[in-house]
Amino acid sequence: MPVFSFRPKRSAVATHLVGCLLLCLFGVQAAAQTTNGVRGVVVDEQGVPLPFCTVRLVGQQKGSDHHTTTTTNGEFAFAAVEAGGYVLLATRVGFYPETLSVTIPPPATAQPVRIVLREQSLATSEVVVTATRSVRELSTSPTSATVVTAREMRSQGARLLGEVLAEQPGLAIINDHGQGVQMQGLDPAYTLILIDGEPAVGRTSGAIDLDRFMVGDLERVEIVKGPFSSLYGSEALAGVINLISRKPGRVPQLSGVAEYGTNGRRNITLNAEGKVGEVGLRFFGGYLGSDGYDLNPSTLSPTVAPFNNYSISALAALPLSSAFDLSISGKFSAERSRSQANLVFGTDTVLFDDRGDLEDFNVSGKIGYAVSSTVRLQGSVYATRYATESTLTSPTDTAFANYYRSIFDQGLTKGELVGEWSPSEEHYLTVGGGAAAESVEAERVAGGTRTATNIHLLAQHQWQPNADFGLVAGLRFDSHSDYAARLSPRLSLLYKPIDWGTIRLSAGSGFKAPTFQQLYLDFTNPAVGYSVFGAVGLLEAVERLRDGGEIQRMLRDVEGNAVLRPESSLSFGMGFQAVPHSALRLTLDLFHNRIHDLIEATAFAVKTNGQNAFSYFNLEQVVTQGATAEARWEPLPGLALSASYQLLDCFSVEEQESIKRGEIQKVGSSGRIRAVQMVEYGGLFNRSPHSGTLRLSYNDTATGIEATFRGTLRGRYGYADANSNGVLDDDVEYHAGYTLWNCSVSKQFGQFLTLFAVADNLLDFTDPQLPELPGRLLGLGVRVEFR
């Protein structure tokens, strides 16, 4: 295929002027003769197809203009066009417009045209989909967002989603039954994880384990903060993280990565994409394995057991016609872990084989139909399943041959139809609705199997009268089988008082319904001995523990907790962004979330084995508020420095009032019991008032050398309720802050080969209370790319 390339333009204005000049020239030459057509593809400078580009075919005759939108694989077509000279003008937010002169009918030997768009500068290059469910230039979006591109993930040496999010401003990684992300001071349960716009399932203790997701097949990760229940419903209370897969390109490409590192870490990925006829295809296969590690050699059980993780994904994009496009995608991943453990039963120690299996599967189909140049319909169906199985079997003692088995199997099926109407460049209306059915099967869930359904309707209007002002108003209605209907509104506003400064305001409410686990969980860890009960069966569980003599003392009253209320929020945000120079960007985001009926897992009793018994409780009212500041500076081509800082304040209104009334007590330094003072109150556990990131990156295209040096700071945070009064109020209850430093370097040899090295936790920081930190991790790898 011949490639039509363009010299880089100095500005979008210059490009428009050239385009207008070409339009005038060809306008003189064009003549109506016969009819024919032209088709082609729009790609970026790396050859990646660009969907949702606007392509105009402009001729001399009045009314001879045509326009369309590229499909999911970047293709466009104009049919039945009168013969003559034309200009193709391709535009997409985040890229400079490009023009191309064409003649219709084309010569007999002509191939489909190819238009290459060049990314814009730092000030305007980012686009975002998640904030409005439509492609939108971030600089004009009323909602601030963070976009992590595939290039950034690759330069970081990231393999898993948790590694990517750990270095993003304003996010904290929380390790509790896997890695979850804390956003704006809210637990992982309140952040919705999307895979190409569809929800992931399979939460443990409220968190979706980020290590389930390999990033080798992702085009980018979008992060939007604040409540987005107006678009996505329940769970989008703290924010949304959308994993957007790479789209197949027309040019065949093949790439692979092989890496080996500390603890026997093995990482192999393979990406292949191309086109068969008119069908764009992409395939990804990944393997990640480790020998695990042990921070406490005195026990047989390793801190992290050896595991092998396999992941595959595929996507097919089919342009059914100039108006219809269809895409089908699917992902499957499986993880297997094996280790041994010793459990003590009285005076006997029994050896066990500890086995864990995980499977994660999803498939989706999306069909788009351009009813006209201003109206587009999109229908989607989506199904996902997440299943785990854990067993403890003794190979030496037949009495414990099948000592423990736990399964968890959750499924979700969802369908949705959305219409988009853009009568002018100022207005963009989105309306739609859908339904979802969810089920869970687990012996930990009382009753074994539970199901629920939800129906939703949504509407959103984007009004952008000019480049300096924009307004987005959205509303979603959810009707759940287990709870009363909910309305979730949101309003966002953008205003540019000066060319280099932007102000964003937002207000909205969100909700989160109690999960199956929070309602029905009934689980006791056989190895450690702690217990977790859902709210519905809590009273019966307490009675059962008392009858068995398993309660040493109660920590809180559990009466009246049989019914959990859905959580709701009212949130406000204000953001300032300044780009005083094309190489400098400054951002400040302020946020205030007031959560009513926040549900948190809290210890309600100490068992006679020394472990706690937990359940889920509504806290009357919780506030999370703070500010996130970020600066990015690119002093030289290829060199970038960015830094961020977050100030966070999280507290329970109920706990504050109880302290003020003198109802919460502690043992003072003199040994006497006294009331806790407000000055001692530290707010919610597991929140760091101070955190930050630092990143220095260098990319020299002439030598093929790329390097990054990154740091993350997590300030002091409340770790555990050591004096058992239910609040964070004593220095011994805090965990000291710490800093992690990571780096990566790569060197490209020739056109196809790149060698790279990564080092995580350079200073070898470890802490017995943080088993998720294995110490320094080194790795060496090779990457090959053919295109």
Side-chain angles (χ1 to χ4, degrees), residues 270-415:
L270 176 67
N271 269 295
E273 64 182 69
K275 203 163 185 186
V276 178
E278 295 299 317
V279 181
L281 299 171
R282 181 189 58 75
F283 169 81
F284 168 81
Y287 163 73
L288 181 65
S290 170
D291 296 337
Y293 59 89
D294 191 2
L295 300 180
N296 185 8
S298 63
T299 63
L300 180 62
S301 301
T303 304
V304 170
F307 68 87
N308 293 290
N309 185 300
Y310 308 89
S311 180
I312 60 173
S313 68
L315 186 148
L318 299 78
L320 302 178
S321 69
S322 59
F324 278 100
D325 60 85
L326 172 68
S327 67
I328 301 173
S329 62
K331 287 190 176 185
F332 174 78
S333 63
E335 182 172 302
R336 309 283 184 255
S337 66
R338 304 289 185 268
S339 63
Q340 289 191 316
N342 281 328
L343 297 184
V344 177
F345 298 88
T347 58
D348 298 328
T349 299
V350 180
L351 175 67
F352 285 92
D353 290 331
D354 188 353
R355 173 175 175 168
D357 295 326
L358 180 154
E359 292 186 354
D360 189 6
F361 167 77
N362 69 69
V363 60
S364 70
K366 297 181 180 179
I367 185 167
Y369 173 53
V371 180
S372 67
S373 60
T374 60
V375 178
R376 178 178 172 83
L377 298 176
Q378 175 144 329
S380 64
V381 292
Y382 172 73
T384 184
R385 175 177 175 264
Y386 172 83
T388 63
E389 179 178 4
S390 302
T391 60
L392 282 174
T393 58
S394 175
T396 57
D397 192 330
T398 56
F400 296 94
N402 297 293
Y403 174 66
Y404 172 77
R405 177 175 180 265
S406 173
I407 63 169
F408 178 83
D409 193 336
Q410 184 176 9
L412 173 71
T413 303
K414 173 176 169 282

Side-chain angles (χ1 to χ4, degrees), residues 757-781:
V758 296
D760 295 336
N761 194 0
L762 271 174
L763 302 184
D764 199 24
F765 172 77
T766 59
D767 188 305
Q769 292 181 322
L770 303 174
E772 67 275 10
L773 295 179
R776 184 186 299 112
L777 295 175
L778 305 176
L780 291 173

Side-chain angles (χ1 to χ4, degrees), residues 234 410 436-440 445-446 449-455 477-486 511-520 536 562-567 599:
S234 179
Q410 184 176 9
E438 186 178 8
S439 66
V440 64
V445 171
T449 302
R450 297 282 176 173
T451 61
T453 59
N454 189 73
I455 298 174
F477 169 79
D478 283 88
S479 177
H480 197 277
S481 59
D482 294 342
Y483 306 98
R486 306 285 305 189
F511 80 98
K512 179 181 176 300
T515 65
F516 288 119
Q517 294 93 326
Q518 291 169 336
L519 290 173
Y520 305 113
V536 173
V563 178
L564 281 179
R565 298 179 296 274
E567 303 161 78
I599 299 174

Side-chain angles (χ1 to χ4, degrees), residues 146 165 167-171 223 225 628-630 643-646 692-693:
T146 300
L165 300 183
E167 300 183 3
Q168 300 308 311
L171 302 185
I223 304 164
K225 300 172 185 173
T628 303
E630 184 181 6
S644 72
Y645 167 75
Q646 178 172 272
T693 63

Side-chain angles (χ1 to χ4, degrees), residues 578-714:
V579 188
H581 186 272
S582 60
L584 178 63
R585 180 175 63 197
L586 306 171
T587 304
L588 175 64
D589 289 315
L590 309 176
F591 58 89
H592 175 90
N593 302 304
R594 186 168 290 266
I595 316 299
H596 298 268
D597 294 326
L598 184 76
I599 299 174
E600 285 213 332
T602 304
F604 67 84
V606 178
K607 300 173 65 176
T608 52
N609 62 3
Q611 297 296 319
N612 286 337
F614 299 85
S615 187
Y616 299 93
F617 295 86
N618 282 115
L619 300 181
E620 288 297 324
Q621 196 174 126
V622 166
V623 172
T624 70
Q625 57 189 4
T628 303
E630 184 181 6
R632 181 178 173 86
W633 180 39
E634 298 180 0
L636 297 171
L639 180 64
L641 174 66
S642 62
S644 72
Y645 167 75
Q646 178 172 272
L647 176 64
L648 187 63
D649 178 29
C650 304
F651 58 89
S652 162
V653 175
E654 181 187 34
E655 290 177 352
Q656 282 193 339
E657 292 175 350
S658 296
I659 292 173
K660 290 176 181 176
R661 292 192 296 265
E663 297 173 351
I664 299 180
Q665 299 178 327
K666 65 186 294 185
V667 178
S669 57
S670 63
R672 291 186 300 178
I673 297 177
R674 63 171 177 82
V676 173
Q677 305 300 304
M678 272 303 298
V679 69
E680 297 175 303
Y681 180 55
L684 302 182
F685 284 94
N686 217 4
R687 275 80 171 176
S688 295
H690 308 283
S691 61
T693 63
L694 179 70
R695 180 187 179 99
L696 176 64
S697 61
Y698 174 72
N699 181 20
D700 186 349
T701 55
T703 61
I705 294 177
E706 188 169 6
T708 65
F709 181 76
R710 298 106 53 200
T712 57
L713 163 69
R714 185 173 189 196

